[in-house]
Amino acid sequence: MRRTASPLSLILLGAGVFLLVLAPLLVTQVLPQAKRTPLDVDTTTVFEGSGSYFDTARLETLNDRRITITRQVRGDVAEGVRSGKAVWDVSTSVDTDATLPATDTRDSLQWTLERWVTDRRTNEPAHCCGESPVFDGEAYLKFPFDVEKRDYRWWDGTLGAVVLLRHTGPGTVQGHRGLRFTGSVPATRTGVRQVPGRLVGLPDRPQVLAEEWYANSAIELVVDRPTGRILYAATGPRKTLRAPGSDKDAVVLLSSGRIAFTEATQRQQVRLASADGGRLGLLGGTLPLGAGILGGVLALVGGLLVARGRIVPTARP
């Protein structure tokens, strides 16, 4: 007489061992691959607020007007696959009620087109693929995955430099909890622009190189911790012109105490963060735990059945 393992016991044992091996692989191999900046991003965020802007037709600054900032981010998938980096083309337009709806972004009050290239894992700048401008810092369009409770270096495109954003506690957007970061920019000279002298208080000079100055009274961001997605953003920009060597603003080009994500944009960002965070949560917690528990049970049952076996009579010579 001898004992043999049944097919069912071998299947249970094999499935259990497979799940036990799979559980740690989900955490150590699959999850890190999932925490990579997507290549095929296609999102639009809208800021709204009120403030002042310079009307080039009237050659004067208009006050208490609605200001809308629209940012479109689209990934260059082909270039991203080729380079292994996240290559995003970013179109940002600043509009007033007079230029909305804008059939052509070039008709906006201000319009910029940029290309941002980052490492898909760390979110650090990657200087390749026609990047413009060359930027620095740890965060711009998003934060790294697994955002920490610490200060971050934020790239301010208008300033052309890094701004330190301080972690100031938790924040809640549309019922979704995240981390809040705040910062500001003191008045800083950012360049020069040729303008008629009378525009900056120098009527006896036909043209002058006026100094461009920029400040930001309040940068506020609420960021989703698992994904680094920005759930809420607000800014208080002020762009002015000064006569050469002057310490006083002569012309206000754009100024607002607060321009922030619209309610619709906040809901969109929360929905995307919840979906992405849910997938990361499955890969980092639910699936490995479930696979480990189920694998342990199946391996135990299969092992017991194999050890027990079936009694089969041996053939006599």
Side-chain angles (χ1 to χ4, degrees), residues 5 15 24 44 60 98 101 108 117 134 140 150 179 195 199-200 206 221 223 232 242 253 267 300 304 312:
T44 300
E60 63 177 344
S108 299
V117 186
V134 176
Y140 174 64
R150 63 172 178 86
L179 295 181
V195 299
L199 196 63
V200 291
L221 304 175
V223 183
Y232 175 84
R242 296 182 183 182
L253 300 177
R267 290 193 294 269
L300 178 61
L304 291 174
V312 179

Side-chain angles (χ1 to χ4, degrees), residues 271-288:
R271 182 176 66 254
L272 293 173
S274 298
D276 293 343
R279 286 190 286 269
L280 294 178
L282 282 174
L283 291 173
T286 305
L287 288 181

Side-chain angles (χ1 to χ4, degrees), residues 41-56:
V41 63
D42 188 355
T43 61
T44 300
T45 54
V46 181
F47 299 70
E48 281 188 356
S50 61
S52 307
Y53 70 91
F54 185 76
D55 189 313
T56 54

